[in-house]
Amino acid sequence: LSLSQHTRSLHTHTHTHTTRPPQVGHFKSRLADVLDLPANKQKLNREGVGFLLDHFSLAHYNVSPDVTLTLTTKTRGRK
């Protein structure tokens, strides 16, 4: 037996899993669980940006741990 018959080739595979940043709507759903306030009754606001739309990601609005978001509730018009 030659040495080459006892040597195995090792292949290293690197798998990169990219995940998309959570969407605003998903974040509001998580808040709903904690705050007992339905996601459809929440409005998130970031100073200088305005209200955050559910279908955009938090990254779209440059939300990071040091950013302050203001949560208000949606109210229906009263007559």
Side-chain angles (χ1 to χ4, degrees):
L1 294 174
S2 70
L3 181 60
S4 62
Q5 290 175 321
H6 295 294
T7 305
R8 285 192 224 169
S9 175
L10 297 176
H11 298 284
T12 304
H13 297 283
T14 303
H15 298 283
T16 304
H17 298 283
T18 56
T19 57
R20 294 189 306 178
Q23 290 183 312
V24 172
H26 177 73
F27 180 66
K28 287 168 52 176
S29 293
R30 292 177 64 193
L31 286 175
D33 293 339
V34 174
L35 302 175
D36 196 30
L37 177 65
N40 65 343
K41 299 291 183 188
Q42 301 173 23
K43 292 192 316 187
L44 288 173
N45 189 343
R46 178 173 180 203
E47 187 175 333
V49 174
F51 290 104
L52 282 57
L53 301 176
D54 289 353
H55 62 276
F56 285 113
S57 70
L58 294 171
H60 174 82
Y61 294 107
N62 293 320
V63 173
S64 61
D66 62 327
V67 169
T68 300
L69 298 175
T70 304
L71 173 66
T72 57
T73 57
K74 291 181 181 178
T75 56
R76 300 184 116 195
R78 297 181 182 163
K79 293 184 179 182

